Amino acid sequence: MSRRAAAAGLGAGLVSIALMPLRARAGDAETTAAIRELFGDAKPTTGRVSLTLPPLAESGNSVPLTVSIDSPLTEADHVRRVCIFANRNPRPLIATLQFGPKAGKAQFSTNMRLSGTQDVIVMAEMSDGTLWREQARVMVTVGACDSLQMRY
Amino acid sequence: MPNTRIRVPDSAAPGEIIEIRAMIMHPMENGFRVDTQGTTIPVHIIAEFVCTYDGVEAFRVTLEPGLSANPYFSFFIKATRSGSVDFLWRDQDGTSTRASAPLVVT
C-alpha cells in the first residue's frame, strides 16, 4: 500500500468516526415520526413552554419533570394538549396531558423513565393551533432499561 | 384494587389556585422486562388518569409505558366553590380506581 493510499484510508476512517454520533442517534427518526403522527407537519416555535429537569439523574427509573406553559387557560386561549417525548427511549412518547376548564394554571409535575442520557422534548398545542416546543438534556447514570437487565 | 394517595387542601379561598397531588401504586410494566424464565413480561399500565373538580374536568393524562412505576402527578386547580375533587385511574384492562376528597371554599 502506498503512502498516499494509506493516508486516504486514514482520512476516510476519520470521516466515518466523525459521522458515527449522527448514526448512533437512530432514535431521533422515531421521535420525529412520533411527533409527526401526533402533530402533523406543523412547525413548532420555541418559547411559552418551560421545562424543569435535573441536569443529572442517577436512576433513569424515575426522573422528575416539571412543565410550565405560559397560557391564561381561558375559553379563548388555552392549551389543547401537551406531549412529552424522550428521543432515545424505545418508545419516544411518554405521556399526553390536557388541562380542563377547572385547571388553575398550565403547570404539572410527574416522574418518567429514561433509557439513558438524552433530550426530553415537550410539545404544547394551543387552542389557536400554534405549536410550541422546548427541549432539555438529561444525563442519566443508570438507564431504566440497563438497570432492569442487570437485575434480571 | 391498587392503593392511591391523594392530597387536596381542606379549604381554599375563592379564586385561589391550589396544588393537587395524586399517585397510584402500580407497577407500570413497560413490556421490556423479562422474568426469571426469560419470557417477556407483557405491558401492564394505567392507561388514563382524569381529575374532575365539582363535576368538571381539570386534568387528564393519557399514560404510556414511559412513565415511572407508581405514576405521580402534581397539577393545579382554581377553587371556585365547595365541591368534591374526584380522581379516576383507568387500567388498560378496563378496571377503574377512584378516589375523592372534599374541598371547602370559604
Side-chain angles (χ1 to χ4, degrees), chain A residues 52-134:
Chain A
T52 313
L53 274 162
L56 181 95
E58 294 214 337
S59 163
N61 276 325
S62 185
V63 181
L65 157 100
T66 301
V67 175
S68 179
I69 297 148
D70 177 20
S71 167
L73 286 184
T74 56
E75 188 64 46
D77 183 7
H78 57 268
V79 183
R80 204 178 284 162
R81 58 182 168 157
V82 185
C83 289
I84 311 167
F85 300 92
N87 70 350
R88 297 281 293 277
N89 268 14
R91 291 194 201 91
L93 180 62
I94 287 177
T96 307
L97 304 100
Q98 287 161 302
F99 299 103
K102 289 281 184 185
K105 57 177 168 174
Q107 185 183 330
F108 64 86
S109 304
T110 187
N111 297 323
M112 61 185 174
R113 290 186 174 124
L114 293 177
S115 67
T117 299
Q118 57 184 314
D119 293 324
V120 174
I121 302 159
V122 173
M123 307 277 283
E125 189 185 35
M126 302 295 174
S127 52
D128 59 0
T130 52
L131 202 55
W132 301 82
R133 174 196 162 109
E134 180 64 293

